Amino acid sequence: MPIKVQNDLPAKEILENENIFVMDENRSIHQDIRLLQICILNLMPVKQDTELQLLRALSNTPLQIQITFMKMNSHVSLHTPVTHLNNFYNTFDELRSRKFDGMIITGAPVEQIDFTEVDYWEELCEIMDWSRKHVTSVFHICWGAQAGLYHHFGIRKHLLDSKLFGLFEHRVMNRKVPLVRGFDDIFLAPHSRHTAVSDRDIHDCSRLLVLAESEKAGVYLCMTEGGRQIFVMGHPEYDRVTLHDEYMRDKNKGLNTALPEHYYTDDDCTIRPNLQWRAHCNMLYSNWLNYYVYQATPYDLDKIG
């Protein structure tokens, strides 16, 4: 939450230069407060798992948030009960007249399929276009980030020789940007994907700013100016055992999936993995909500866009 101080307090300017949100008396007196409206477009097959992971990440802020879950009209989910979808999800048609302070577009297990061959691609493109005038800031995750980079900037993905799977080190590239405020110079984050986007293509795009990247996993975090579009290539929201569950699932299917890198102690999958990325995950989502949603969105939702 912002710190309220006197208008002329000398420390105010120093704190603001450190990207710490300081609210002066004038703004405090005139500020109205309401629930932040966040829409989550959940493209993952087992939606309950992703709901829990994202809600856990979003809960680490004193801001009051109201969540609306969106599902695709053009895709039938086979791994989530219909009753759950009917009770807790809305279609895009039901939500297209609304505006939201923030939106999350999740990953999806369709990365090895060409974008245009995904059965809901046209609807997703319509949603991403709609978000430009109906959402203050959009947070894209993994395949959702690849889809957003392709749709908005024409940056293509490519198939990796082997699955990028495990826990990897990333280095903060631009510490002055509030989205990475409080991050350590080097931090860990999980990845699980068969495809990647060229680092060079992202760096060469003048509209994108790279905030963190990895020698092994490539660009991890980038965004447009002002944070209207944010792209996260990994899965910071993953729980302690998500990579383990994915590994055991692939193993039980007879797939030749290697152990997730840097994840198990001594590469022993019988040992419960250490949770080493939760603090930075919480910080990433808190910074997004505070600096790019709460501070940027108008009080009157109708003024978004």
Side-chain angles (χ1 to χ4, degrees), residues 290-303:
N290 184 28
Y291 291 105
Y292 301 96
V293 180
Y294 173 65
Q295 293 190 42
T297 197
Y299 180 78
D300 185 354
L301 276 173
D302 288 335
K303 294 182 179 179

Side-chain angles (χ1 to χ4, degrees), residues 50 58 87 150 208 239 243 251 267 275 283-284:
T50 304
L58 293 169
N87 287 337
Y150 177 67
L208 291 172
D239 290 333
L243 291 177
K251 187 176 180 180
D267 281 342
L275 183 57
M283 198 171 299
L284 175 63

Side-chain angles (χ1 to χ4, degrees), residues 18 23 52 91 93 96 142 153 215-216 219 245 264 273:
E18 294 176 1
M23 181 182 293
L52 180 59
T91 64
D93 285 342
R96 67 168 65 240
C142 201
F153 307 106
E215 289 186 8
K216 180 65 182 288
V219 170
D245 291 343
Y264 296 115

Side-chain angles (χ1 to χ4, degrees), residues 5 14 20 35 63 68 131 161 180 202 233 237 279 284 304:
V5 297
I14 298 173
I20 294 175
L35 287 170
L63 298 172
T68 300
S131 72
D161 294 333
V180 291
I202 294 176
M233 304 303 172
E237 78 285 353
L284 175 63
I304 290 177

Side-chain angles (χ1 to χ4, degrees), residues 61-258:
T61 170
L63 298 172
Q64 298 183 57
I65 303 169
Q66 181 170 325
I67 301 295
T68 300
F69 289 106
M70 182 190 291
K71 63 180 179 180
M72 308 301 285
N73 280 321
S74 48
H75 177 77
V76 177
S77 180
L78 301 177
H79 301 280
T80 301
V82 174
T83 52
H84 183 85
L85 293 172
N86 290 340
N87 287 337
F88 302 109
Y89 280 74
N90 296 100
T91 64
F92 175 48
D93 285 342
E94 293 169 331
L95 297 175
R96 67 168 65 240
S97 63
R98 291 182 56 183
K99 293 191 175 184
F100 293 89
D101 300 298
M103 182 176 190
I104 296 173
I105 300 178
T106 73
V110 294
E111 55 183 306
Q112 292 175 282
I113 305 173
D114 187 84
F115 288 124
T116 58
E117 293 179 1
V118 175
D119 59 1
Y120 52 79
W121 178 247
E122 289 187 6
E123 184 181 5
L124 179 58
C125 290
E126 185 180 3
I127 291 171
M128 288 190 287
D129 288 337
W130 165 88
S131 72
R132 292 173 176 171
K133 294 185 177 181
H134 290 77
V135 182
T136 297
S137 179
V138 183
F139 192 99
H140 308 71
I141 303 171
C142 201
W143 181 84
Q146 294 182 353
L149 289 171
Y150 177 67
H151 179 67
H152 293 297
F153 307 106
I155 299 177
R156 296 180 176 274
K157 63 178 180 177
H158 62 270
L159 190 65
L160 296 170
D161 294 333
S162 59
K163 184 178 182 179
L164 182 71
F165 190 39
L167 193 60
F168 300 98
E169 287 188 345
H170 305 77
R171 179 174 290 276
V172 173
M173 306 303 295
N174 197 327
R175 182 163 296 284
K176 293 183 179 181
V177 178
L179 189 61
V180 291
R181 174 178 172 245
F183 275 42
D184 295 328
D185 289 340
I186 296 175
F187 64 95
L188 296 169
H191 290 260
S192 177
R193 49 187 167 87
H194 294 273
T195 56
V197 175
S198 165
D199 295 349
R200 178 48 51 201
D201 288 346
I202 294 176
H203 280 286
D204 286 347
C205 181
S206 61
R207 294 170 60 194
L208 291 172
L209 175 65
V210 175
L211 302 180
E213 58 185 319
S214 163
E215 289 186 8
K216 180 65 182 288
V219 170
Y220 171 72
L221 180 62
C222 62
M223 70 177 208
T224 59
E225 183 178 359
R228 291 296 302 274
Q229 303 282 347
I230 293 170
F231 305 93
V232 184
M233 304 303 172
H235 281 285
E237 78 285 353
Y238 268 11
D239 290 333
R240 179 194 303 270
V241 296
T242 306
L243 291 177
H244 172 78
D245 291 343
E246 290 186 9
Y247 173 67
M248 298 307 296
R249 178 200 65 197
D250 288 358
K251 187 176 180 180
N252 291 334
K253 288 181 178 179
L255 300 177
N256 191 29
T257 301

